[in-house]
Amino acid sequence: MSSSEWGAWTGGGAADRILAALDSVDPFLDEAWVTPKGSLTAEECGLVLARARAKKARFEALELALVRQGEACDIGKLTGSPNATVYLRTAQRYAQSEASAAVGLARVLDKEARLTGEALAAGVVSARQAGVIAEAIKKLPEYVGADERDRGEEFLIEAARTHNPDELRRLGESLLERIAPEEAERLLGEELERKDRKAEQKRSLRYVPNGIPQSESVQITLPVWEMELLRKIIEPLAEPKKGPEPDTRPIEQRRGDAFAEALGLLAAASTAPVRGGRPPQVAVTIPLDVLLKGTGAGTIDDTATLIRPRPCTCPCTDPKYGTPKTTNETRAAKSAAKNPGRAGEPTQREAAGQEEGRTAQAGKPKRPSPDTGALGDGIPPPRTPAQRPQPNTEPGTAGPEAAIDPHDGCPKCGGGGSARYLGTDGTPISAATVRRLACEADLIPVVLAG
């Protein structure tokens, strides 16, 4: 039912009429409250709950209409408040954020989202859904016509029947992308710039005592693009050292040693450590027009840096990291149990494998393709670029199990894990930050649909 169908009250005594209507509801609410609810079935409870939410939405629509009228008639003067927001907070005991939100939503529903206000008054949408719809309509640029606004508003009101406020907010964002893609791109760029500035302001490095003699820990917080650069410096230096004896350092120790080596290289030179003739790099993809305008966003798309783990060399008895075959340690134990006199000697199969390994080392065969995994070598297939390289760095991750990236493989030697991309796939970054990085970057032009 629309406001035109309800009719407009033009006579006097509007306050008396509204108060009488509100008072008439009390007996029915009392009846609903005292009615025993323990006998309700699940279906009945769902039906009653939906009806109660619809009635609540209608009451909230009336409340917002009264807030809007109170602001128009300067209701704050009743208590000496400077505005309606302060009056609601002091006289009506609203929370500060609640008062501001109520006044703001009342304004938008009265002017820019009248259809949403009518839907709220009819109980079709909740107050939170109405706030999301009003926010989406308010974000539309001025050049969007009234008809397009109405169609977008009607679309969101209809979607509110099957979507919660969070889902409705995403639909509202896509609505802006459909109706005004340039404005959506500008807003995205501004949001990313704010996040970039916040990430830069949150840079930190703390020295933390760890209780180990002659040792100290650090906690580093960096923006995502700078953390990618740090990974590109550390991970190549953290590769196991080649030599007659296997490198048995745990992967965390290798990274710590790599960090110390990087500090030594940095102290001895004015540039970052370079191996293979090129400095560490982070790839960023961005359209040329966005780069030139400086508004919008690019993406960190650095999935080309694939790190291949080595087989577990402990040997590891954990089936997650060891080879599917019986490990050397297990075979040696079984052989010693069967032949106590030959304990410690390699079996015929092990001797053949050692000889084969020496022959292969002399011939230096070609390494397997990084796009395939060999389970027989204890190396699972590579992870896809969509999988994040460091799951333990996601927000909310904590505890001992988050101390090691499970894709690093064996906690001791780092072998037997899955191939992983050090780069980040599709993470947005503001155009302003990309332009700053591009000052000293190699640019690779790519023409699409040229």
Side-chain angles (χ1 to χ4, degrees), residues 144-401:
V144 176
D147 293 340
E148 291 178 323
R149 288 175 179 271
D150 291 344
R151 286 196 298 270
E153 192 174 359
E154 290 171 352
F155 166 75
L156 293 178
I157 292 173
E158 183 63 27
R161 297 178 183 272
T162 55
H163 294 76
N164 61 42
D166 295 330
E167 297 168 340
L168 203 61
R169 180 173 287 103
R170 288 191 287 270
L171 290 177
E173 294 172 354
S174 64
L175 177 69
L176 181 63
E177 294 175 359
R178 293 182 181 180
I179 297 180
E182 294 181 358
E183 183 69 8
E185 184 179 359
R186 184 186 67 82
L187 293 177
L188 174 61
E190 291 179 355
E191 180 182 3
L192 289 174
E193 287 183 14
R194 287 193 299 269
K195 291 181 177 180
D196 290 346
R197 289 194 298 268
K198 185 175 181 180
E200 292 173 354
Q201 294 169 358
K202 292 295 182 179
R203 284 192 192 104
S204 65
L205 190 150
R206 297 178 58 219
Y207 302 102
V208 183
N210 55 26
I212 302 176
Q214 303 298 324
S215 176
E216 195 171 8
S217 298
V218 295
Q219 293 179 354
I220 302 177
T221 301
L222 294 174
V224 61
W225 60 91
E226 295 174 352
M227 189 61 74
E228 286 297 319
L229 184 61
L230 179 62
R231 287 194 185 101
K232 297 302 172 57
I233 295 174
I234 296 300
E235 293 298 328
L237 299 178
E239 288 293 316
K241 294 181 179 179
K242 297 180 180 180
E245 297 295 332
D247 189 346
T248 59
R249 294 174 300 162
I251 189 167
E252 289 85 359
Q253 182 181 349
R254 294 208 310 265
R255 285 181 178 149
D257 294 342
F259 189 77
E261 183 181 354
L263 289 178
L265 293 173
L266 187 62
S270 59
T271 59
V274 175
R275 286 192 175 179
R278 301 193 58 159
Q281 295 182 343
V282 176
V284 177
T285 301
I286 186 171
L288 178 61
D289 57 339
V290 175
L291 180 64
L292 295 177
K293 291 188 299 183
T295 59
T299 56
I300 300 178
D301 188 13
D302 207 16
T303 57
T305 307
L306 181 68
I307 297 297
R308 291 289 297 173
R310 290 170 170 75
C312 183
T313 58
C314 292
C316 184
T317 57
D318 192 328
K320 292 190 299 183
Y321 307 121
T323 63
K325 305 174 185 178
T326 306
T327 61
N328 296 337
E329 185 176 344
T330 307
R331 285 198 297 270
K334 291 182 178 180
S335 177
K338 291 181 179 179
N339 303 296
R342 301 188 60 186
E345 296 182 8
T347 63
Q348 181 178 0
R349 182 175 181 179
E350 291 172 341
Q354 293 173 1
E355 183 63 29
E356 181 181 354
R358 285 192 291 269
T359 305
Q361 180 66 21
K364 293 185 179 179
K366 184 178 180 181
R367 295 180 65 183
S369 170
D371 294 331
T372 61
L375 290 176
D377 293 335
I379 304 177
R383 303 186 300 132
T384 60
Q387 291 178 270
R388 296 191 63 83
Q390 298 288 344
N392 53 287
T393 61
E394 289 293 332
T397 305
E401 68 279 1

